[in-house]
Amino acid sequence: MVVRRRGLPDSSVYLSRRPEEARVRRMLVLAVVVLAGCSGAFGGDTSSDTPELTPAPVPTASAPELSLPVTADGTPAVGRIIADHRAALSTRDFHRRVVVGGNLSTTDVWVDRDGKRTRVRHVTDTTDEAVVADGRRYERRADGSVRVSPGGWELPYVDSASGRFVLQRHVAGLVYNRTDTVTRNGTEMAVLRANTTDSTLSRPGSRTIVAANSTLYVDGNGIVRAMDHRERYAGGTVRTVRFRVWTGEGTAVMPEWFTERET
């Protein structure tokens, strides 16, 4: 029986593989270390040396522009604006004031919706004051007594509580343009201006206006918060009118003498 001896691999093969395997192991270890360092860079390194990214600004919706009724040619529809003014005040407590000629006359109107009372005060050389409530008219006399009479729906000394007739009379014939939007006491208002020097406008009482300068301030609820108006007549006389409106709780103040008692 012939026994063949199995040959062993040459020792040079082992010697050549072992260094190669060691080199591969070193490369694997190095790769692990490098990857570990990379994970630190992209992980949670919050050191001061790491630059911080500035977050992109989040766009916010801009407030809608205060809109007003306009005519076909794009100019403010002042007639509709005054109608909206009256409608907006019909549900609110308010105080309005009209001053003519600096201090020639001052007229105040206070409206208390809950109490269903309207107070009117007209000041010239003398002071006239009345309160209309529950269908009665209460007027204070010079001696301090209070006269009571049927009042109906008519108000003394004024054409209307809201002042719409005052506005209509002074804006008639003028062409207003919207020139600005301003904020006063936290209320945003559109500014409308009219200016004429080359036309004549007729007014009640045979008055002819040859020049006028007028500014209206209208808020987002449609209320004409203010009017500053100046007009010059053919005879040279100049007349100024200041119109103001305040709304909200506490604006409708009744006089101390008003007790709703009959005398």
Side-chain angles (χ1 to χ4, degrees):
M1 181 171 122
V2 179
V3 178
R4 295 182 179 178
R5 298 182 60 184
R6 188 175 182 180
L8 296 175
D10 187 77
S11 61
S12 62
V13 176
Y14 287 101
L15 294 176
S16 62
R17 285 185 177 179
R18 286 173 182 170
E20 179 67 17
E21 291 175 357
R23 188 171 66 85
V24 170
R25 290 192 184 97
R26 286 196 299 270
M27 290 180 67
L28 291 174
V29 171
L30 180 60
V32 171
V33 172
V34 171
L35 290 176
C38 292
S39 65
F42 291 99
D45 188 0
T46 57
S47 65
S48 60
D49 294 335
T50 304
E52 296 182 359
L53 296 177
T54 302
V58 178
T60 56
S62 58
E65 183 181 358
L66 190 156
S67 61
L68 297 176
V70 295
T71 61
D73 61 4
T75 58
V78 180
R80 288 173 56 194
I81 289 172
I82 293 175
D84 291 346
H85 164 85
R86 179 187 178 227
L89 290 183
S90 67
T91 59
R92 289 172 167 83
D93 291 353
F94 67 88
H95 170 206
R96 77 164 175 90
R97 171 174 292 172
V98 176
V99 180
V100 177
N103 59 0
L104 185 62
S105 70
T106 300
T107 304
D108 290 277
V109 178
W110 293 266
V111 174
D112 178 359
R113 294 292 175 193
D114 290 337
K116 299 180 181 180
R117 304 164 179 170
T118 301
R119 173 189 178 188
V120 182
R121 183 176 65 193
H122 183 64
V123 180
T124 53
D125 294 334
T126 60
T127 299
D128 297 308
E129 188 167 25
V131 173
V132 176
D134 299 324
R136 291 188 176 92
R137 174 171 167 172
Y138 301 79
E139 292 181 274
R140 189 182 188 187
R141 297 174 175 174
D143 61 3
S145 62
V146 178
R147 177 176 179 268
V148 182
S149 60
W153 293 102
E154 294 184 358
L155 297 175
Y157 320 122
V158 294
D159 294 327
S160 66
S162 65
R164 62 170 174 152
F165 293 121
V166 174
L167 294 171
Q168 287 173 346
R169 281 196 298 269
H170 291 91
V171 306
L174 297 176
V175 177
Y176 288 81
N177 291 289
R178 182 169 179 173
T179 61
D180 202 358
T181 300
V182 298
T183 301
R184 297 288 184 271
N185 298 323
T187 300
E188 187 180 42
M189 295 179 286
V191 182
L192 314 182
R193 298 185 189 278
N195 192 350
T196 179
T197 57
D198 57 358
S199 60
T200 57
L201 304 173
S202 297
R203 290 290 187 263
S206 300
R207 295 178 299 171
T208 301
I209 295 174
V210 296
N213 190 311
S214 185
T215 305
L216 303 177
Y217 297 84
V218 187
D219 71 10
N221 294 313
I223 299 172
V224 179
R225 291 286 176 174
M227 177 182 71
D228 291 322
H229 185 91
R230 184 179 184 272
E231 53 190 30
R232 179 164 56 87
Y233 304 119
T237 303
V238 174
R239 184 173 184 259
T240 61
V241 179
R242 295 179 67 248
F243 179 100
R244 298 290 185 270
V245 173
W246 300 269
T247 61
E249 186 178 355
T251 57
V253 180
M254 295 298 111
E256 294 181 357
W257 56 261
F258 175 66
T259 59
E260 293 187 89
R261 65 185 187 279
E262 293 189 12
T263 60

